[in-house]
Amino acid sequence: MQKLAKIQATLKAPKGQTNSFGNYKYRSCEDILTAVKPLLDGCVLTISDEIVAIADRIYVKATARIFDETQWVETTAFAREASDKKGMDAAQITGSASSYARKYALNGLFCIDDTKDADAIEPEAKQSASKQIIQAAVSMLDAAASTSNDTKTLESWTDMADELKKMVWPELHDMTKEKIKLLKGAK
């Protein structure tokens, strides 16, 4: 799904909330939704919850699903309800677990990393991370190509590589294009 890949590459969801007790920044489900809505480009995003009992514990299972004209992708995440949380009634405990599960379902769907911001990473670490991402993308291409004899699939990877060149790293684009040429020659 090319639209999802584009959203994943361009989405910026800053940690706009501050926990005054622990003195740390975090992003909420609402922060992610606010950031992603302008990027949907005709896609429909839904989030749903399901209450699941596992052993003697209650979990909220959140599912984030994105639809375009022809396909959909979904991710799920779980959050356990606390048996008791000071100052909260039962509905607030469930609501808190729902927000947490939804946030992590959206993190999975949009490939949001909850580690430090890229701007806080040292230049050497950025270069290493860039190479790891490039290698992961090439591995994904290998896996996709090995499971498909369809040249249209390979062409869609070419289109995605063109988008990545504009949005991500030129070296990823060049490596991906080179890999596609090799795979087309092998088919």
Side-chain angles (χ1 to χ4, degrees):
M1 177 187 252
Q2 288 185 350
K3 287 182 179 181
L4 178 57
K6 186 175 182 180
I7 292 169
Q8 290 171 341
T10 58
L11 179 64
K12 302 278 188 258
K15 294 180 179 182
Q17 310 296 320
T18 303
N19 179 306
S20 56
F21 180 74
N23 197 28
Y24 61 88
K25 295 245 183 225
Y26 68 97
R27 75 178 57 82
S28 67
C29 178
E30 292 79 14
D31 292 333
I32 297 169
L33 291 173
T34 298
V36 80
K37 284 178 183 178
L39 304 176
L40 289 175
D41 189 28
C43 292
V44 176
L45 175 65
T46 62
I47 309 171
S48 60
D49 291 336
E50 178 182 349
I51 303 299
V52 180
I54 301 173
D56 63 339
R57 301 300 308 218
I58 303 296
Y59 291 81
V60 176
K61 175 185 174 185
T63 302
R65 184 178 291 141
I66 189 166
F67 302 87
D68 73 2
E69 305 84 33
T70 61
Q71 55 192 328
W72 56 271
V73 175
E74 72 177 21
T75 59
T76 58
F78 291 83
R80 189 173 79 184
E81 283 191 344
S83 55
D84 183 34
K85 196 153 185 181
K86 190 175 182 178
M88 286 189 175
D89 66 21
Q92 289 171 316
I93 291 170
T94 301
S96 176
S98 170
S99 293
Y100 192 84
R102 286 174 171 225
K103 172 182 147 175
Y104 282 97
L106 289 168
N107 280 358
L109 185 62
F110 298 119
C111 296
I112 298 171
D113 187 358
D114 256 348
T115 59
K116 284 187 172 184
D117 293 325
D119 293 336
I121 300 172
E122 296 297 320
E124 299 84 25
K126 280 185 188 179
Q127 188 174 10
S128 175
S130 175
K131 286 181 181 176
Q132 288 174 349
I133 291 169
I134 291 166
Q135 289 171 344
V138 170
S139 294
M140 274 184 11
L141 179 58
D142 281 339
S146 67
T147 59
S148 174
N149 290 326
D150 181 11
T151 55
K152 279 195 162 209
T153 301
L154 294 173
E155 290 299 326
S156 71
W157 277 95
T158 303
D159 294 343
M160 191 179 300
D162 288 335
E163 288 297 314
L164 287 170
K165 182 175 184 179
K166 296 174 197 167
M167 296 182 289
V168 189
W169 297 278
E171 60 266 27
L172 174 59
H173 174 265
D174 296 340
M175 288 178 72
T176 305
K177 289 285 252 190
E178 196 58 40
K179 196 66 163 179
I180 290 169
K181 283 181 194 174
L182 290 170
L183 290 168
K184 281 183 176 179
K187 298 275 180 203

